[in-house]
Amino acid sequence: MFNRYRHIVIVASGAVLLGAALPPDEREPIRQVVVQQSDLSFGTPGQSQQAAEYQSPCRAGVDNRNSDLCAQWKAADAAQQSAMWAGIGTLIGGLTFAAAVAAAIYARRAAKHTETGAIAANKTLAHAEQTSKRELRAYLAVVPDGINQLIGTTEAMGHVLLQNVGKLPARNVSLFVYMEMSERNVEPKYRRADFQTPGGRSETERVVHPNGSMRQGCYNAHRIPIKEIFEAVDHNIYVWGIAYYDDGYGCPRYTRFCHRYTTASRNRTINPTREATETRVVIAPDKARYHTRGNDAD
């Protein structure tokens, strides 16, 4: 729009300059006063001469100071030129004002587009920052590590392996592990669904680095005598709990887990009444299944 107004102003200015450059004889015809013969037939010779000079022809551009009529024409010409230049000035002023309005509208729209672009850029930057944090933060996964018999005991303890699969160290790591055996063999739809975990975090200085791991067993109060595992027929053993940690950006996170074993998968070479002289696997880690309940993370 602004370029269109600029072209109009240039065309109008050229037309004005072209009109001013024409010779006076081409701009106006010769102004000739027709003098009637009867008007010059009276009076004295001196008066007739003065009347002739007063009423003499007045060409455009001729400065005849003795002709009152010529002076009137010059005054009329000056008034006409003044009116013309005033009109041209008004036209140019109007065009200039219109161009200024168009420039203001264009500037306003440009500012609006700039503001919209800045908002979009900020949103994109915020999204990229959030995506980067999600990709780089620490993630703790808890995988089954079997049910094992410890040295000098006849009891089995459920173990898990805590792994940092993220790209930043996990800090303030605390892990709670529990284990229980079902009271009887039940159908899958009647399997246990409620697995309570502590809601409070414990202050620790444990750090698990990227690709690092930490092994931990269940609480001593949750150990199961190996004899009971061998006597139970197709019962389920649940190893569950929760891990709390900071994700590397100071944000608290958690991972809840629940692994299910079946007593039918026990190591039948073990004597359940004999104390172990070395750590023995009662049910191997590959026999575990992730239970349909009790698994969650943020």
Side-chain angles (χ1 to χ4, degrees):
M1 184 183 294
F2 178 75
N3 291 333
R4 190 191 314 164
Y5 289 144
R6 184 175 62 183
H7 293 161
I8 294 174
V9 172
I10 292 174
V11 171
S13 301
V16 171
L17 294 176
L18 181 61
L22 293 174
D25 290 341
E26 296 182 10
R27 285 186 284 120
E28 297 183 19
I30 298 176
R31 297 187 181 121
Q32 179 70 41
V33 177
V34 180
V35 181
Q36 298 294 335
Q37 185 66 29
S38 59
D39 295 337
L40 301 178
S41 60
F42 61 92
T44 61
Q47 291 176 342
S48 298
Q49 183 178 359
Q50 291 178 359
E53 292 179 356
Y54 179 80
Q55 298 177 357
S56 63
C58 183
R59 286 178 173 273
V62 176
D63 187 9
N64 188 353
R65 296 180 179 275
N66 295 324
S67 174
D68 187 37
L69 184 60
C70 188
Q72 294 179 17
W73 276 113
K74 290 183 69 63
D77 289 343
Q80 183 179 8
Q81 290 182 0
S82 297
M84 179 187 68
W85 284 111
I88 293 174
T90 302
L91 176 61
I92 294 176
L95 294 177
T96 303
F97 176 75
V101 171
I105 294 174
Y106 175 80
R108 182 179 180 183
R109 291 180 178 176
K112 186 175 182 179
H113 286 302
T114 302
E115 182 182 2
T116 303
I119 293 174
N122 289 334
K123 289 183 178 179
T124 302
L125 181 62
H127 182 268
E129 182 179 359
Q130 292 297 325
T131 302
S132 176
K133 286 184 177 181
R134 283 194 294 267
E135 292 177 350
L136 297 177
R137 55 158 283 197
Y139 287 92
L140 290 187
V142 183
V143 299
D145 200 33
I147 296 177
N148 308 289
Q149 183 183 9
L150 301 182
I151 298 174
T153 70
T154 58
E155 295 177 326
M157 174 182 288
H159 285 88
V160 296
L161 190 65
L162 187 70
Q163 297 177 333
N164 185 355
V165 295
K167 297 182 180 180
L168 289 177
R171 302 182 182 277
N172 302 323
V173 178
S174 57
L175 180 60
F176 302 90
V177 185
Y178 308 90
M179 182 176 68
E180 286 185 4
M181 186 169 61
S182 63
E183 296 180 356
R184 62 186 184 278
N185 182 20
V186 295
E187 296 180 14
K189 63 180 180 179
Y190 297 118
R191 287 173 181 168
R192 182 173 173 175
D194 183 23
F195 298 93
Q196 297 294 325
T197 55
R201 299 169 181 265
S202 60
E203 293 295 331
T204 66
E205 294 182 355
R206 284 192 293 191
V207 177
V208 181
H209 292 277
N211 300 319
S213 61
M214 183 181 77
R215 189 169 186 258
Q216 184 169 319
C218 67
Y219 290 104
N220 290 333
H222 287 257
R223 292 182 183 181
I224 302 174
I226 297 178
K227 184 178 179 180
E228 293 183 10
I229 295 176
F230 274 69
E231 291 175 351
V233 180
D234 293 333
H235 283 219
N236 291 318
I237 299 177
Y238 301 96
V239 178
W240 80 94
I242 190 167
Y244 293 108
Y245 63 100
D246 291 342
D247 66 358
Y249 292 99
C251 184
R253 304 287 182 177
Y254 72 88
T255 301
R256 295 178 63 228
F257 60 93
C258 183
H259 309 144
R260 188 184 73 251
Y261 299 83
T262 176
T263 57
S265 301
R266 64 188 180 276
N267 183 0
R268 300 175 187 273
T269 64
I270 294 177
N271 184 348
T273 61
R274 181 180 175 183
E275 291 186 359
T277 57
E278 60 181 0
T279 302
R280 294 186 293 187
V281 176
V282 179
I283 303 178
D286 62 344
K287 305 301 181 182
R289 299 293 182 265
Y290 286 87
H291 192 42
T292 54
R293 302 293 181 88
N295 292 283
D296 192 14
D298 71 344

